[in-house]
Amino acid sequence: MKNGGLKLDERDLRILAILQTEGRITKTELAERVNLSPTPCWSRLKRLEKIGLIEGYRAKIALKRFGLTMVFMEAELESHRAADFARFEAEMRQIPEITGCWSVGGGIDYLIQVMVKDVDTYQRLVDRLLERGIGLKRYYTYVVTKAIKEDSPPPLERLRAAD
Amino acid sequence: MKNGGLKLDERDLRILAILQTEGRITKTELAERVNLSPTPCWSRLKRLEKIGLIEGYRAKIALKRFGLTMVFMEAELESHRAADFARFEAEMRQIPEITGCWSVGGGIDYLIQVMVKDVDTYQRLVDRLLERGIGLKRYYTYVVTKAIKEDSPPPLERLRAAD
DNA sequence: CTTGAAACAAAAGAGAA
DNA sequence: TTCTCTTTTGTTTCAAG
């Protein structure tokens, strides 16, 4: 079962949707917004955290202001054995500049999101990866010149509750 | 000036780095972690919010648990006049399923991140875009089969403070 | 679900290093 | 200034109905 066998009602979804954009709202105000008194709202929230639907809370930092450059990289591996994928993925997880990595179908193996000080730093990172013999065969680089939209919360409320 | 002419010291960076992963930490604990008493820590925090370095707070929701599918799309526009870009970008911003959109160099014009219930819904969304006469010439679809890493906070502490 | 009370955190001021 | 300390106000948590 997708949600660990737990059902979510409209209010739970509303709570999630609110927290998705206002992670530091007070529990009192959250309760008001979903038309509940603080206590039941609080126990719903606890439940949502406990079953892992809320994975944590984060401040959204204006990374642009630090002059960080975003680069996307399409990567293809030399060999497609399970062990090679595993090694590559372990490497991805370890590198802090790599902020996202997804395995995708359609010719390329991985789509990788990188945040670096500048393109030079990116190139050094790639060189390090290549030297490392991690199975990287081919890669394409796409330097982001403008962010039109980023981390925009997906519409939870349109979703059906739980299975 | 990149940071609005405001300087950040080690403590400010530390505060940002902590909030980036623990967005709901209490101000008292935050103060302890940066070796300050609550008040000065609180005013630093206020300042960081005020100058826009902290854009907000968000709960991280386990979207997988909702059975959402992530799709990346590379898009190329028919025409490259400023007005065409603007129209396309305005459209991107309006569609809630589009959670990310970056303008990139290197052959393709945009890299677009989409969150949908299933691939079918994605296809309908693309059809809608095409019908709309929004200038979309060619697109490539990459369905995410596995997230190795996602929204991993970039290393702020390595950065030089401010200019 | 509601009330209510004890424990805790946030916010703001007064003043010392 | 920038911090520590203290007070007031508001929030969180949980026990009992």
Side-chain angles (χ1 to χ4, degrees), chain B residues 7-104:
Chain B
K7 293 208 188 97
L8 303 177
D9 63 13
E10 288 301 316
R11 275 206 177 105
D12 292 313
L13 281 178
R14 188 97 207 288
I15 288 173
L16 291 172
I18 290 171
L19 288 170
Q20 202 173 25
T21 55
E22 294 162 78
R24 239 181 143 149
I25 192 175
T26 67
K27 300 187 172 142
T28 336
E29 204 199 325
L30 180 62
E32 279 168 20
R33 296 266 288 274
V34 298
N35 298 311
L36 278 178
S37 60
T39 310
C41 182
W42 180 79
S43 53
R44 275 162 185 268
L45 182 49
K46 278 279 160 191
R47 172 171 159 268
L48 294 172
E49 287 171 349
K50 195 172 164 207
I51 66 180
L53 278 177
I54 297 174
E55 295 178 330
Y57 298 88
R58 308 189 154 181
K60 202 190 164 209
I61 307 296
L63 296 166
K64 286 176 259 185
R65 303 279 290 276
F66 288 91
L68 283 175
T69 300
M70 187 183 287
V71 180
F72 280 96
M73 180 176 165
E74 290 177 3
E76 197 186 324
L77 297 202
E78 283 161 4
S79 142
H80 290 174
R81 284 169 312 176
D84 298 312
F85 286 128
R87 191 179 49 164
F88 186 82
E89 292 174 12
E91 191 70 17
M92 293 297 102
R93 277 186 275 261
Q94 269 177 351
I95 301 173
E97 287 88 350
I98 293 183
T99 55
C101 177
W102 299 270
S103 146
V104 293

Side-chain angles (χ1 to χ4, degrees), chain A residues 58-69:
Chain A
R58 309 190 154 181
K60 201 189 166 210
I61 308 296
L63 296 168
K64 284 177 261 184
R65 303 280 290 278
F66 288 91
L68 282 176
T69 300

Side-chain angles (χ1 to χ4, degrees), chain A residues 14-32:
Chain A
R14 188 99 206 289
I15 289 174
L16 292 173
I18 291 172
L19 288 169
Q20 203 173 23
T21 54
E22 293 163 79
R24 232 174 151 153
I25 191 174
T26 67
K27 299 185 165 85
T28 336
E29 202 198 327
L30 180 61
E32 279 168 20

Side-chain angles (χ1 to χ4, degrees), chain A residues 69 116-127:
Chain A
T69 300
V116 278
K117 221 181 64 183
D118 46 42
V119 178
D120 228 72
T121 310
Y122 168 74
Q123 199 50 56
R124 284 203 302 275
L125 195 155
V126 174
D127 291 344

